[in-house]
Amino acid sequence: MADTTYGSCCVDEVAASHINANCVIHYGHTCLSPTSTLPALFIFGKAPISASNCAENLSNYASTSDKPIVVLFGLEYAHAMQDIKDALVMESSRSEVSTSRLQIYFADVMCSVMNPSENFEISNGLSGLNGGLTANHGSGNAMGTQYSIGGLSWNLPESPTNILHDYLLYWVGADNAAFANVVLTFSGCEIVRYDAAENRIVTDVSAQRRILKRRYYLVEKAKDANIIGILVGTLGVAGYLHMIHQMKDLITRAGKKAYTLVMGRPNPAKLANFPECDVFVYVSCAQTTLLDSKEFLAPIITPFEAMLAFNRGSQWTGAYVMEFQDLMTSFPAEQRDQLEEARFSFLLGGYVEDFDQEEASKENGDGTLALVKATEKALHVLDNDPQSVTKVTAKSGGEYFAARSFHGLEIRNSSLPEPFIIGRAGKASGYNDEKSKQESL
């Protein structure tokens, strides 16, 4: 059973709780995000693939590449990995190249049974939060350095100069959200994709890499936002409530106003009902958190991008984190310095001084100053001097609607009822009053 309200890759724990279920069996595509209340059994399915053709393309590409290869795959092709390994051994024997010389490492599925836990540990002992198996960092052990992403884990030999960026990633599967997760997370690696449907290798992943440029623009746009909407994109992934509270604290410390919205799967029509929000933060699983916000009135960013936008001093190093569970430890809460300097806004073209709500609430203890400060809560227009400082103040939803020129239908406060007017009667081709006029003519 999948969570069709938000994403079919997540376990629908809410619907299962309505029937007092003790376990959930999830069929088909999944992101393997940790559950919060119920254990889950995953049936990945078996997508068709030519193991011999895949092994042949892998062997040919590995023989021409000077990098070791890590084979990643969509979970729907997990059933064929052993066949691909056997076919690769046969292909290497025909080409007289040993598999050890090719240096090919295969990822493994982390688990097919998942138990809920407070620390988000998965049933086989591999942790998605506290065990160090994040998508961007490896954990050292006796077997080497261990990595994981999207329900896959793999070990690489331990070496001071041996880092993942020195490897080539060979993805077996379709161009979907799981592949985009790999491309964005390991953007520093060379990546190729084997298309199982067309039995060919695709080396052009520029479309996925261009997403990073768009995301960087959204981060800069979020820095100038006043009102932030936090979109709840899941009700079953472990730790989502903690991340929502962490986003609220982050936005408040940045001097901005936050509203939490629960509306199911977002679409432009739903979010258009909240025009006061300058940007939305989408708290969801790794495979549904990226939304193309070109059709939306306001941009939609991920929790990782919110960390970059609302944490002073944070800079984008090129690394990208999709799993919000990894952000809970890698981005701890910081104390805001009250004497921070004005920041430079690329969109406004000048320096901007953010408004501190906590400091203002202490200064505005009496009602007179509070009223004066409330009237000044607006975005000052930047003059022609590029060195001038624009003071950005946080508005609330009430202030936004109070400043609108249209407030709806006029309601007159009168005790007497308004007289009604009789409209036209008849068909549109000829109303009754129109027929009388024609007869008089």
Side-chain angles (χ1 to χ4, degrees), residues 6 56 67 116 153 179-180 219 256 306 319 333 336 424-425 434 436:
Y6 294 101
E56 181 182 357
K67 294 182 178 181
S153 65
F179 178 62
V219 170
K256 304 177 187 298
R336 179 188 171 106
R424 287 181 171 184
E434 293 179 346
S436 60

Side-chain angles (χ1 to χ4, degrees), residues 224-238:
D224 298 330
N226 287 327
I227 302 178
I228 315 298
I230 302 176
L231 297 178
V232 180
T234 178
L235 295 177
V237 178

Side-chain angles (χ1 to χ4, degrees), residues 248-430:
K248 286 182 180 179
D249 296 339
L250 176 67
I251 294 170
T252 303
R253 290 198 309 269
K256 304 177 187 298
K257 187 70 175 179
Y259 292 97
T260 304
L261 307 173
V262 181
M263 62 180 67
R265 190 174 301 178
N267 58 50
K270 290 180 181 179
L271 297 187
N273 294 319
F274 305 94
E276 67 273 18
C277 294
D278 301 317
V279 68
F280 296 95
V281 180
Y282 193 39
V283 179
S284 179
C285 72
Q287 296 190 14
T288 59
T289 188
L290 283 181
L291 289 180
D292 189 4
S293 57
K294 294 180 181 179
E295 298 180 357
F296 293 83
L297 297 179
I300 303 175
I301 62 176
T302 65
F304 170 72
E305 294 164 352
M307 295 281 188
L308 295 178
F310 304 140
N311 261 335
R312 277 298 185 93
S314 298
Q315 296 181 354
W316 197 330
T317 61
Y320 200 89
V321 181
M322 301 287 288
E323 295 281 356
F324 67 78
Q325 291 93 347
D326 301 333
L327 301 176
M328 297 179 187
T329 53
S330 58
F331 286 86
E334 299 179 357
Q335 296 295 331
R336 179 188 171 106
D337 186 5
Q338 303 294 342
L339 300 177
E340 288 178 345
E341 298 180 354
R343 60 176 177 83
F344 185 83
S345 173
F346 291 96
L347 300 182
L348 297 178
Y351 288 93
V352 175
E353 182 181 2
D354 291 325
F355 179 79
D356 195 337
Q357 290 181 332
E358 297 179 357
E359 182 180 0
S361 61
K362 296 178 181 179
E363 295 179 354
N364 302 340
D366 57 293
T368 304
L369 288 178
L371 180 61
V372 173
K373 291 293 184 180
T375 57
E376 294 179 355
K377 285 185 178 180
L379 180 61
H380 292 208
V381 180
L382 182 66
D383 55 20
N384 296 328
D385 184 8
Q387 300 299 326
S388 63
V389 177
T390 302
K391 188 172 182 61
V392 178
T393 59
K395 294 182 179 180
S396 64
E399 290 175 301
Y400 175 85
F401 285 106
R404 291 179 59 177
S405 59
F406 176 73
H407 300 282
L409 299 178
E410 295 183 2
I411 301 178
R412 300 177 182 177
N413 296 326
S414 177
S415 58
L416 298 177
E418 295 290 335
F420 63 90
I421 301 176
I422 300 176
R424 287 181 171 184
K427 298 181 179 180
S429 59

